[in-house]
């Protein structure tokens, strides 16, 4: 079981499952969307994910027509993304998790955009 929330706390969620795999993505879109060096994500089953409070604060942004980036429009925290053609899988932004076990990342995508000062075991 996993719980999390956005920065302002208006949006809270629960995941009725375990996180098995986490991914770091350094692509430029993720850097811009997070305002940081990388996005830390996990693919989850949408059917086990529930927004427990604050659904009305969520907004979807389509930077590319196929991919929704879902964030709290009050505080701007990115919560998850999903592909329109794969709506059963959401990619949770793991910095918003407050309860539950998060395994170390097993994959680093777009590592060519990783800053030189950042070292991580492959
Ligand atoms: Zn918020
Ligand atoms: Zn990315």
């Amino acid at each position: 079981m996993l719980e999390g929330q956005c920065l302002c706390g208006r949006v809270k969620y629960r995941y009725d499952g375990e996180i098995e795999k986490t991914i770091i993505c350094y692509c430029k879109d993720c850097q811009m969307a997070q305002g940081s060096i990388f996005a830390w994500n996990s693919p989850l089953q949408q059917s086990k994910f529930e927004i427990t409070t604050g659904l009305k604060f969520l907004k979807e942004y389509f930077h590319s027509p196929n991919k929704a980036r879902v964030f709290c429009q009050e505080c701007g925290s990115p919560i998850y993304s999903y592909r329109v053609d794969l709506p059963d899988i959401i990619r949770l932004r793991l910095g918003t998790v407050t309860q539950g076990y998060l395994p170390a990342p097993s994959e680093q995508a777009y590592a060519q955009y990783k800053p030189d000062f950042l070292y991580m075991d492959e």
Side-chain angles (χ1 to χ4, degrees):
M1 232 268 283
L2 211 72
E3 286 177 349
Q5 66 170 69
C6 64
L7 180 62
C8 75
R10 287 178 170 83
V11 176
K12 292 193 165 81
Y13 62 80
R14 185 169 54 211
Y15 183 64
D16 190 20
E18 299 301 321
I19 301 265
E20 287 158 17
K21 174 184 181 176
T22 74
I23 299 164
I24 281 178
C25 184
Y26 298 96
C27 85
K28 204 61 207 163
D29 284 356
C30 282
Q31 287 182 346
M32 286 185 177
Q34 316 302 307
S36 190
I37 294 167
F38 55 70
W40 188 29
N41 302 326
S42 180
L44 302 181
Q45 293 174 50
Q46 196 276 334
S47 60
K48 296 180 177 174
F49 182 81
E50 186 192 357
I51 299 293
T52 51
T53 54
L55 189 62
K56 68 177 179 183
F57 292 102
L58 286 181
K59 185 171 166 67
E60 297 190 347
Y61 169 67
F62 290 82
H63 183 63
S64 42
N66 193 32
K67 183 175 178 179
R69 293 174 179 270
V70 185
F71 64 97
C72 171
Q73 55 187 319
E74 185 69 21
C75 68
S77 286
I79 308 292
Y80 64 93
S81 66
Y82 68 91
R83 279 175 51 175
V84 173
D85 58 338
L86 286 174
D88 295 346
I89 303 290
I90 64 165
R91 289 178 177 269
L92 185 65
R93 299 305 185 258
L94 297 176
T96 62
V97 171
T98 56
Q99 294 276 344
Y101 173 69
L102 297 174
S106 56
E107 205 177 301
Q108 298 186 53
Y110 295 92
Q112 66 267 36
Y113 299 112
K114 177 159 75 171
D116 291 338
F117 61 77
L118 194 69
Y119 301 97
M120 226 178 296
D121 292 338
E122 298 281 339

